[in-house]
Structures are given as structure tokens and as C-alpha cells.
């Protein structure tokens, strides 16, 4: 049956998917989003580099995990994962590897990261209640929002699995009013990422 379908179109499923994304403007949408975000990313990277030049951020974070009690580290991590999630979770995963029950603490980190993303989603929803923001989104960002809603699941999956701030993806999903039940479903892949990273880092430690 699959072979007959392929023979009629002459294209594989991957080619058809690529064709669909091309026709619907997905690639253009992603490129425009990256192009708009690129200046801010560059500024953020430069700022972090400058701060790190005078003040070793990673060393300070490692020192923080060594100084705070476990509940303090977990609380700090939850706040970080809720507010933009700019602190690399790998530092906290390495911390969990030094605890007496590494997989237990890793599981807590994964759950907190996931919950932090869900809280970020509602932060995004709250932002849209500001009249000026709502007007801007409805008038000047109408086309972008329409496309974003179409591919919101992709946005969440990328944020959950790749080394990108999960919180930012969830805030964006909240702003475009992507269905919360889908955020809960796709966002659960965040737990998979922690499990994979745990396997890699624990084997190195």
C-alpha cells in the first residue's frame, strides 16, 4: 500500500513533508524568527562573555551548588527554569551526580524544569492581557501569530529537547495562546532530555 502511494506521487514521506513546509511558509517563518532574534542573541552572548571575563560565572554557579543545601539548589534551579532558563541545566545535572542518590535528584531537576516551563507558559498568557501588548500582537503580528499557532508544537519540542531555553519556548507558546494541553504533552519531552544528559554526564563523572 505504501509503495503504491509512493509510486503515484513519486515522492517519499520526507519529500512530501518538505514540500508541505515549503508551501505553508514554515521555512520562511523560521528564518524570519531567527533573523529577528539574532541581534538580541548576539547582544546577550557578548554581555555574558564580558561578564564572564571579569567574573567567572560558571565557577560562581558551581560554588553556589556546593554552598547551598539541596533544597536551596533545587529552588534556585526552579526559579532559573521559570525565568528565561538562561543558566545551563548541565551545571545542576553535574551537581545531582555528586549527590548520594544522583538519579533521584536528577528526576527532581527534570520535573522542576518541566513545571518551570508550564509556569512560563502562563506568564506568556498573562503578558497578552496587557492592553498595549495585545493590540500590538493583534495588529502588527497577526500573520506571525497565525503561523506560530500552526507550528507551536514544533516550538515546544525544540525547546524541550535541544540546548535552548525551554522557558522562552513556553513563554512564546503562552503568548500565541497555544493549547495548554499540547504544551503539557510536548513539554514532557523535557524529562527525556534530562535522562539522556544524565546518562552522558554521569558516565563522565
Amino acid at each position: 500500500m505504501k509503495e503504491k502511494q509512493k509510486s503515484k506521487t513519486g515522492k517519499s514521506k520526507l519529500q512530501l513533508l518538505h514540500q508541505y513546509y515549503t508551501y505553508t511558509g514554515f521555512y520562511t517563518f523560521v528564518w524570519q524568527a531567527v533573523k529577528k532574534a539574532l541581534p538580541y542573541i548576539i547582544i546577550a552572548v557578548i554581555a555574558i562573555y564580558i561578564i564572564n571575563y571579569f567574573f567567572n560565572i560558571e565557577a560562581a554557579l558551581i560554588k553556589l551548588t556546593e554552598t547551598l543545601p539541596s533544597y536551596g539548589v533545587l529552588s534556585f534551579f526552579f526559579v532559573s527554569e521559570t525565568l528565561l532558563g538562561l543558566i545551563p541545566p548541565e551545571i545542576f545535572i553535574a551537581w545531582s551526580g555528586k549527590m548520594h542518590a544522583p538519579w533521584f535528584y536528577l528526576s527532581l531537576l527534570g520535573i522542576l524544569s518541566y513545571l518551570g516551563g508550564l509556569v512560563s507558559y502562563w506568564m506568556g498568557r498573562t503578558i497578552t492581557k496587557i492592553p498595549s501588548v495585545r493590540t500590538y500582537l493583534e495588529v502588527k503580528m497577526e500573520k506571525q501569530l497565525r503561523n506560530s499557532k500552526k507550528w507551536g508544537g514544533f516550538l515546544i519540542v525544540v525547546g524541550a529537547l535541544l540546548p535552548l531555553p525551554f522557558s522562552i519556548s513556553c513563554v512564546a507558546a503562552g503568548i500565541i495562546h497555544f493549547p495548554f494541553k499540547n504544551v503539557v504533552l510536548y513539554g514532557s519531552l523535557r524529562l527525556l532530555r534530562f535522562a539522556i544528559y544524565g546518562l552522558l554526564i554521569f558516565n563522565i563523572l
Side-chain angles (χ1 to χ4, degrees):
M1 184 67 180
K2 291 182 179 179
E3 291 179 358
K4 290 181 179 179
Q5 289 177 349
K6 183 176 179 180
S7 62
K8 288 181 180 179
T9 60
K11 297 178 180 179
S12 65
K13 286 186 178 181
L14 188 61
Q15 289 174 319
L16 290 172
L17 189 63
H18 169 68
Q19 188 178 39
Y20 167 76
Y21 284 148
T22 302
Y23 288 163
T24 56
F26 174 72
Y27 296 127
T28 302
F29 165 73
V30 171
W31 168 242
Q32 291 298 327
V34 171
K35 191 164 63 172
K36 289 179 181 179
L38 196 58
Y40 300 100
I41 295 173
I42 293 174
I43 291 172
V45 170
I46 293 175
I48 292 173
Y49 177 80
I50 293 173
I51 294 173
N52 195 60
Y53 181 80
F54 295 101
F55 182 75
N56 194 320
I57 298 175
E58 185 175 352
L61 290 172
I62 293 174
K63 183 67 177 177
L64 185 69
T65 59
E66 294 173 347
T67 304
L68 289 176
S70 58
Y71 65 85
V73 175
L74 293 171
S75 300
F76 182 77
F77 176 73
F78 177 72
V79 172
S80 170
E81 289 293 279
T82 303
L83 303 177
L84 301 183
L86 296 179
I87 299 178
E90 289 76 16
I91 293 175
F92 297 93
I93 294 174
W95 163 81
S96 68
K98 298 176 183 177
M99 303 299 287
H100 63 278
W103 282 104
F104 171 74
Y105 283 97
L106 178 68
S107 300
L108 288 179
L109 290 176
I111 293 171
L112 289 174
S113 178
Y114 174 55
L115 293 177
L118 299 184
V119 173
S120 298
Y121 170 86
W122 290 107
M123 288 170 54
R125 290 289 293 264
T126 303
I127 290 173
T128 61
K129 294 181 180 179
I130 302 173
S132 58
V133 174
R134 184 170 63 250
T135 301
Y136 177 78
L137 292 172
E138 292 176 350
V139 176
K140 295 189 176 182
M141 298 289 289
E142 181 183 2
K143 182 179 179 181
Q144 289 87 339
L145 283 175
R146 189 166 59 249
N147 288 334
S148 297
K149 289 177 182 179
K150 192 185 303 180
W151 302 302
F154 176 82
L155 181 71
I156 297 297
V157 170
V158 167
L161 292 177
L162 298 184
L164 300 170
F166 180 51
S167 173
I168 294 178
S169 297
C170 291
V171 168
I175 290 175
I176 64 176
H177 285 210
F178 189 68
F180 181 65
K181 63 180 181 180
N182 291 344
V183 176
V184 172
L185 176 62
Y186 297 135
S188 63
L189 291 172
R190 187 68 170 173
L191 302 174
L192 176 62
R193 184 192 174 207
F194 271 76
I196 294 172
Y197 270 53
L199 288 170
L200 295 174
I201 294 179
F202 288 175
N203 287 335
I204 294 174
L205 294 176

